[in-house]
Amino acid sequence: MYNKLQYISQGKTIEEQLYNIHQALDAGCDWIQMRFKNQTAKNTFALAEAVKFLCEEYLANFIVNDNLYLAQQIAADGVHLGLTDMKIDQARAILGNTKIIGGTANTFEDIKNHAKNGCDYIGLGPFRFTETKEKLSPILGLSGYFRIIEELKKHNIQIPVYAIGGITLKDISPLMETGIHGIAISGMVTKSEEKEKLIQQLNEKLYANVIV
Ligand SMILES: Cc1ncc(COP(=O)(O)OP(=O)(O)O)c(N)n1
Ligand SMILES: Cc1ncsc1CCOP(=O)(O)O
Ligand SMILES: [Mg+2]
C-alpha cells in the first residue's frame, strides 16, 4: 500500500526545485511528485534526471507531474495526471501495469471513472483555497470529502484517496476521519523552517490509526 504522505515539489528554477526536494527527502519524505510548470523540455528533463538520482539514493518513490512521456523516458515510478492531462486509460496502455498512475478528481464521478480506467490513486481536491495552483476546481471542504468517501463506500469503489489543497497540520486528523488514505502537500512542507519535525508530526497524525 502507498505511503500516506506525498510531497509535491515547488521552485521556479532547477536549483530551487532540487534544493526543496533534497530538503524534503532529508526530512523524511519518501514520496516525491516533481511539479515544474512552464519550463522548457530541456530544463524539465535535466531536473527529472537529477530528481530520479536523488530519489534512488533516498529509496523514495518518484512520480512526475503531467508528463507521461518524460516519466517513461527516465523510468520514474509513475506519473500524476490531471483532468485535462492525458486520459488514464491511455496512460495505462502506454505505461503498463508496473508504473504508478495517479489521477486528479473533484467529484465522485471523476473517481468512479479513474478507478474504472486503471488509476492507482486519486488526488481529490482542492480541500481549501491555495496559492500553489491556479484555476482551482470548486473547493470541497471537509463536508465534500465526507460526502464523496461515503458515496465511494456505497458503490464499493476501493482506491486510495489523497486530499490536496491548502492542507495544514491541524487539518490532518479531521481529514483522515473522512476515510481518505493520505495527503499530498506542497506549500506547507516547502515553507517549513523545521521540516524534519513537521514530517514527523504529519506522519504521527497520518498513521495514528494504523495497527501494525
Ligand atoms: C496528488 C495530486 N493531486 C492532484 C494534483 C493536481 O493535478 P492537476 O489537476 O493536473 O494540476 P497540476 O498539478 O498539473 O497543476 C496533483 N498534482 N497531485
Ligand atoms: C497541485 C494542486 N492541485 C490541487 S491543489 C494543489 C496544490 C497543493 O499545494 P498546497 O499544499 O501548497 O496547497
Ligand atoms: Mg496536471
Side-chain angles (χ1 to χ4, degrees):
M1 185 43 87
Y2 300 124
N3 298 333
K4 291 179 179 288
L5 176 63
Q6 182 182 128
Y7 170 64
I8 302 180
S9 71
Q10 285 189 344
K12 290 190 177 67
T13 62
I14 294 179
E15 291 72 24
E16 252 180 60
Q17 283 271 341
L18 273 180
Y19 177 80
N20 289 333
I21 290 169
H22 209 156
Q23 291 255 310
L25 289 167
D26 266 338
C29 280
D30 47 19
W31 190 355
I32 306 289
Q33 178 188 150
M34 184 192 106
R35 184 171 183 269
F36 196 31
K37 292 284 189 181
N38 308 317
Q39 295 291 323
T40 60
K42 189 175 164 216
N43 274 359
T44 316
F45 181 81
L47 177 65
E49 272 204 319
V51 177
K52 158 122 173 139
F53 188 73
L54 261 184
C55 286
E56 271 172 6
E57 187 187 329
Y58 282 80
L59 303 178
N61 264 339
F62 170 40
I63 64 170
V64 175
N65 175 260
D66 290 345
N67 193 334
L68 172 133
Y69 293 110
L70 176 62
Q72 191 180 37
Q73 199 179 358
I74 60 153
D77 296 308
V79 67
H80 186 95
L81 298 170
L83 290 165
T84 57
D85 299 320
M86 183 187 281
K87 296 284 165 254
I88 301 292
D89 49 357
Q90 197 187 342
R92 180 60 73 203
I94 296 168
L95 285 185
N97 287 328
T98 59
K99 297 293 178 183
I100 302 168
I101 300 178
T104 300
N106 181 247
T107 64
F108 164 72
E109 285 299 321
D110 294 336
I111 303 183
K112 195 172 115 181
N113 288 332
H114 282 343
K116 189 182 77 195
N117 290 328
C119 199
D120 291 307
Y121 78 86
I122 301 292
L124 177 65
F127 170 62
R128 70 158 64 83
F129 174 78
T130 173
E131 286 179 354
T132 306
K133 181 172 160 57
E134 291 168 5
K135 296 189 191 138
L136 289 171
S137 294
I139 287 167
L140 295 173
L142 207 52
S143 59
Y145 285 86
F146 264 115
R147 179 176 43 80
I148 292 171
I149 299 290
E150 279 312 304
E151 199 70 350
L152 289 174
K153 284 185 196 151
K154 213 164 68 191
H155 289 82
N156 201 20
I157 297 172
Q158 291 172 19
I159 185 163
V161 173
Y162 288 75
I164 181 167
I167 294 170
T168 64
L169 199 55
K170 67 176 181 355
D171 300 319
I172 311 290
S173 302
L175 272 169
M176 291 305 282
E177 275 170 31
T178 67
I180 59 161
H181 176 74
I183 54 164
I185 288 196
S186 188
M188 181 174 52
V189 170
T190 308
K191 287 179 201 138
S192 170
E193 302 269 313
E194 293 181 298
K195 290 194 178 50
E196 200 172 329
K197 186 171 159 201
L198 174 63
I199 302 303
Q200 201 178 331
Q201 287 172 324
L202 286 169
N203 279 328
E204 267 166 28
K205 290 179 188 292
L206 287 166
Y207 290 93
N209 293 317
V210 176
I211 301 154
V212 278

